Amino acid sequence: MSYAIPAPVVPSLPIIGSDQRFPVRRIFCIGRNYAEHAREMGATVDKDTPLFFCKPADAVVTDGADVPYPQATADLHHEVEMVVALSAGGRDIPADQALARVWGYGVGLDLTRRDLQAVAKAKSHPWDVAKAFDHSAPVSALRPASEARLDGDTALTLIINGEQRQHGRLGDMVHGVAEIIAILSTLFELKAGDLIFTGTPAGVSALKRGDQFHAELAGVATLEGRVA
Ligand code: MN
C-alpha cells in the first residue's frame, strides 16, 4: 500500500523528563466549566448539558514555537486551561475508572476568535470557525500523571507581558476531570492520544501581535510563547 499524497505527520507533545513524545489523536474541549467565566461571557452554567467542541489535532503549537496571529479575526482571545492527555479510552467509562485512563497533564491556551464566536452565537451556528482554526491550541510539555500532584487548590495562571490576566483554581471547575471523561465517553469512544481542554477561569481578554504569554499549572507544567 502507498499513499497518493504524503501522509500527514502525527502531531505530538513533548514530555517533561523524557525524550519520548506524546502523539495527539484528537482534541476535545469543554466550555463554560468555571462559573465566573460563564458569567463574564453573559452565559450561565448548565450542569446537565455540558458544552463540548473539538479542535483538530494539528492545531497544537508546541516546543515554544510562536503562535501566528490568525487570519479572519480582529479579536483573538486567550483562555488558559488544564490539558488532560489520555493513555486509554473507551465508551461509557464510569467516573470512578476515568482517572486510570489519564496519561498526564499539561497547560494550554484555547485560543478563540471571539468576534467570529459572537457571530456564531447570534446566528446559532457551530463554533468551529471560532475555535478550531490553525495554531489554536498551544500546549506545554506534559507531566506524567504519576508525577503530577493536583488538588482543588492547584492554581491555573496566565501572565501576558508580565501582567496577570487569568487566575483560578482547579476546585472551581463545574465538572472535574473524571466527570468530564465519563460524560465525553458517553458521546464519543475515547482513545489513547486524545487531549481534553478542561475549561477556563475568568479573565479572558484579547491578545495582540508581539504579546508574550506565560501559562502555568502550578507545580505541573509551564507554557511560554509569543504571538507573532
Ligand atoms: Mn475554553
Side-chain angles (χ1 to χ4, degrees):
M1 197 278 288
S2 67
Y3 293 114
I5 60 167
V9 171
V10 176
S12 66
L13 299 176
I15 294 166
I16 296 167
S18 170
D19 292 334
Q20 292 189 314
R21 295 183 68 89
F22 184 89
V24 178
R25 184 171 187 273
R26 290 175 296 187
I27 304 174
F28 296 102
C29 308
I30 184 168
R32 297 174 191 163
N33 201 34
Y34 289 77
E36 282 295 323
H37 169 63
R39 229 180 327 272
E40 75 178 342
M41 297 305 298
T44 50
V45 172
D46 179 353
K47 200 162 191 251
D48 294 332
T49 315
L51 189 168
F52 293 109
F53 56 91
C54 297
K55 293 175 186 269
D58 67 358
V60 293
V61 179
T62 68
D63 302 286
D66 284 348
V67 174
Y69 196 92
Q71 62 200 118
T73 187
D75 197 18
L76 176 68
H77 269 209
H78 54 73
E79 298 188 357
V80 67
E81 312 201 358
M82 173 170 69
V83 177
V84 175
L86 299 186
S87 56
R91 290 169 58 161
D92 301 322
I93 300 167
D96 64 3
Q97 295 170 28
L99 294 183
R101 269 100 162 164
V102 174
W103 187 89
Y105 298 91
V107 61
L109 297 180
D110 164 17
L111 294 178
T112 302
R113 294 194 284 209
R114 196 69 77 197
D115 41 4
L116 298 189
Q117 188 190 36
V119 172
K121 285 178 177 175
K123 293 181 180 286
S124 298
H125 287 177
W127 286 8
D128 299 57
V129 299
K131 290 289 197 179
F133 54 94
D134 300 322
H135 314 292
S136 60
V139 184
S140 70
L142 297 176
R143 171 89 60 190
S146 57
E147 301 167 13
R149 292 229 182 96
L150 295 170
D151 62 32
D153 286 325
T154 301
L156 189 57
T157 306
L158 178 66
I159 294 165
I160 305 292
N161 303 327
E163 193 176 303
Q164 184 173 295
R165 294 264 191 98
Q166 291 190 262
H167 183 72
R169 46 189 291 285
L170 297 184
D172 291 332
M173 291 196 292
V174 175
H175 298 282
V177 173
E179 206 180 340
I180 293 171
I181 292 169
I183 299 167
L184 262 180
S185 75
T186 67
L187 299 165
F188 303 92
E189 180 177 352
L190 298 177
K191 300 267 183 147
D194 289 342
L195 300 182
I196 304 171
F197 277 64
T198 56
T200 196
V204 302
S205 64
L207 287 167
K208 304 180 308 295
R209 287 177 181 81
D211 281 351
Q212 302 272 356
F213 54 82
H214 173 101
E216 200 171 319
L217 181 61
V220 176
T222 303
L223 169 71
E224 308 255 13
R226 189 174 71 102
V227 181

